[in-house]
């Protein structure tokens, strides 16, 4: 074991989070301490979703082509198939076993193109939907990793994880600072990271998502209540994360036809950031129409059925009886009968009086 190289790598890792433009030099030090020329730090969010992939002194095609071959899939990439518990070493003998379980030779062709068939690796941290790992990569001429190389690799792995966590914490602080500024302006806003995950949210936006009429948090992801709206929203997020677009303006509709204006804006990307840094600012406009929560208020206050309450809210939002029948897929006779019941329970005699009363107590 080359202790001088090992200490140099540890020193570089202790400082790189505060100077992220030095990651390539730092990975070069890690590789040298492990007896090779290249080290890799990579995050997997799915077969072709690679939030970051840093490898020193590498052909750019190694980075750009990796997602295109589904490089994050254990059914394609025998290195990914070898992934175990955090800090569990996998090396050439494990690669050979994993190859036997993979019929497709796509990844073999890929590593042959760049002459990087050997090396060792480990997972640094993982949670559902995300794995961050490190590896050192070796050419044919380098041969297999020695036991000393593997020992050095495992000695450095905790230091790499600490550097990653420190840089992520810095990015997290940036998200919260932005969120606090927006909160001071009482904005309906969220910040998404490079994974599309919600990193921070203002209290006003959190309340809207908890209501869930139009938008909601599904795990760490922002989603729309209606499938059609969610498809539009997810495409807009994906386009901004992949830099196909810098912004998007959407009108998203809930199940009760409530609408929310949603403006997505790309946050300036820093060249050496990880995927957890702020990437998208989402600004929401409070819906001007009444929604499902207001319908529940009418149920509690006047004893309306939930169907009657939605009809009353639709009327207060300006829909005619014909539009209500069409929207709710009910017959005109059913809607007329519901209006009669609503009038009786709310002690009004006509629609104009009903709308005025609802607006007065709910808006």
């Amino acid at each position: 074991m080359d202790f001088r190289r090992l200490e140099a790598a540890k020193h570089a890792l202790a400082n790189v989070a505060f100077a992220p433009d030095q990651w390539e030099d730092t990975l070069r030090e890690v590789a040298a301490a492990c007896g090779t020329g290249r080290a890799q730090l990579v995050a997997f969010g799915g077969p072709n979703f690679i939030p970051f992939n840093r490898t020193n002194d590498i052909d750019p095609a190694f980075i750009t082509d990796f997602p295109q071959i589904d490089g994050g899939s254990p059914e394609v990439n025998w290195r990914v198939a070898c992934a175990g518990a955090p800090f569990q070493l996998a090396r050439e003998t494990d690669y050979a076993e994993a190859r036997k379980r993979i019929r497709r030779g796509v990844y073999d062709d890929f590593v042959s193109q760049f002459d990087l068939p050997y090396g060792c690796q480990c997972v640094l941290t993982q949670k559902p939907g995300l794995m961050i790992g490190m590896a050192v990569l070796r050419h044919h001429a380098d041969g297999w990793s020695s036991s000393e190389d593997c020992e050095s690799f495992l000695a450095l792995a905790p230091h790499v994880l600490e550097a990653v966590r420190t840089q992520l914490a810095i990015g997290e602080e940036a998200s919260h600072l932005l969120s606090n500024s927006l909160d001071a302006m009482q904005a309906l806003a969220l910040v998404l990271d490079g994974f599309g995950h919600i990193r921070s949210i203002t209290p006003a936006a959190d309340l809207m998502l908890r209501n869930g009429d139009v938008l909601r948090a599904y795990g760490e992801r922002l989603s729309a209540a209606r499938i059609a709206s969610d498809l539009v929203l997810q495409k807009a997020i994906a386009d901004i994360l992949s830099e196909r677009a810098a912004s998007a303006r959407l009108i998203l509709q809930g199940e009760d036809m409530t609408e929310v204006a949603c403006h997505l804006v790309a946050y300036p990307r820093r060249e050496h950031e990880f995927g957890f840094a702020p990437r998208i600012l989402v600004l929401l406009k409070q819906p001007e129409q009444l929604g499902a929560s207001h319908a529940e208020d009418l149920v509690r206050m006047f004893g309306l059925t939930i169907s009657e309450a939605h009809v009353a809210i639709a009327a207060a939002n300006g829909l005619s009886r014909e539009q209500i029948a069409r929207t709710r897929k009910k017959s005109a006779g059913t809607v007329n009968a519901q209006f009669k019941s609503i009038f009786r329970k709310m002690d009004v005699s006509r629609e104009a009086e009903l709308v005025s009363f609802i607006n007065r107590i709910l808006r």
Side-chain angles (χ1 to χ4, degrees), residues 145-279:
S145 308
S146 69
S147 57
E148 284 191 353
D149 294 334
C150 293
E151 188 177 346
S152 296
F153 177 84
L154 288 176
L156 289 174
H159 297 272
V160 176
L161 177 58
E162 185 61 29
V164 170
R165 283 177 169 166
T166 301
Q167 187 166 335
L168 295 182
I170 293 171
E172 187 80 17
E173 183 64 23
S175 293
H176 287 305
L177 286 172
L178 177 59
S179 180
N180 289 340
S181 298
L182 293 166
D183 185 33
M185 296 184 289
Q186 297 184 326
L188 286 157
L190 309 89
V191 177
L192 307 184
D193 63 18
F195 298 88
H197 292 172
I198 299 171
R199 300 306 298 172
S200 57
I201 182 170
T202 63
D206 184 52
L207 184 61
M208 177 185 286
L209 265 60
R210 288 180 185 278
N211 188 33
D213 290 341
V214 181
L215 290 166
R216 58 189 61 166
Y218 185 75
E220 294 182 315
R221 294 190 176 277
L222 178 66
S223 64
R226 295 187 70 196
I227 294 176
S229 291
D230 195 50
L231 290 173
V232 172
L233 174 63
Q234 300 309 323
K235 182 181 185 303
I237 292 173
D239 285 347
I240 293 176
L241 291 179
S242 62
E243 299 185 345
R244 291 191 296 268
S247 65
R249 291 184 180 273
L250 312 174
I251 300 295
L252 303 176
Q253 199 171 64
E255 297 292 351
D256 61 353
M257 309 309 288
T258 299
E259 292 183 343
V260 170
C262 181
H263 186 196
L264 296 88
V265 184
Y267 198 75
R269 179 189 286 275
R270 293 177 295 175
E271 184 179 356
H272 302 283
E273 70 183 16
F274 287 142
F276 299 92
R279 286 294 296 122

Side-chain angles (χ1 to χ4, degrees), residues 92-162:
E92 291 87 354
T93 50
D94 302 293
Y95 297 162
E97 287 299 315
R99 278 194 184 97
K100 297 176 183 178
R101 303 191 298 269
I102 297 175
R103 295 181 180 180
R104 298 171 62 186
V106 175
Y107 189 68
D108 285 307
D109 295 339
F110 180 78
V111 295
S112 294
Q113 178 184 349
F114 300 100
D115 186 25
L116 295 170
Y118 306 139
C120 60
Q121 66 183 57
C122 74
V123 172
L124 295 175
T125 184
Q126 60 185 342
K127 62 179 182 178
L130 174 67
M131 178 177 71
I132 300 176
M134 66 173 287
V136 291
L137 310 174
R138 303 173 70 89
H139 293 311
H140 271 99
D142 298 328
W144 281 27
S145 308
S146 69
S147 57
E148 284 191 353
D149 294 334
C150 293
E151 188 177 346
S152 296
F153 177 84
L154 288 176
L156 289 174
H159 297 272
V160 176
L161 177 58
E162 185 61 29

Side-chain angles (χ1 to χ4, degrees), residues 306-327:
I306 191 63
S307 293
E308 290 170 348
H310 281 298
V311 168
I313 290 297
N317 283 332
L319 272 64
S320 67
R321 292 195 184 196
E322 292 76 11
Q323 289 172 320
I324 293 171
R326 186 167 60 252
T327 300

Side-chain angles (χ1 to χ4, degrees), residues 45-111:
N48 52 15
F49 179 42
I50 316 297
F52 61 85
N53 184 1
R54 294 182 176 172
T55 308
N56 64 289
D57 304 318
I58 198 73
D59 184 333
F62 180 83
I63 305 298
T64 58
D65 292 355
F66 189 73
Q68 297 175 16
I69 65 164
D70 291 342
S73 171
E75 297 178 359
V76 173
N77 184 340
W78 33 262
R79 281 188 165 102
V80 175
C82 289
F87 302 114
Q88 179 181 330
L89 182 74
R91 53 176 302 185
E92 291 87 354
T93 50
D94 302 293
Y95 297 162
E97 287 299 315
R99 278 194 184 97
K100 297 176 183 178
R101 303 191 298 269
I102 297 175
R103 295 181 180 180
R104 298 171 62 186
V106 175
Y107 189 68
D108 285 307
D109 295 339
F110 180 78
V111 295

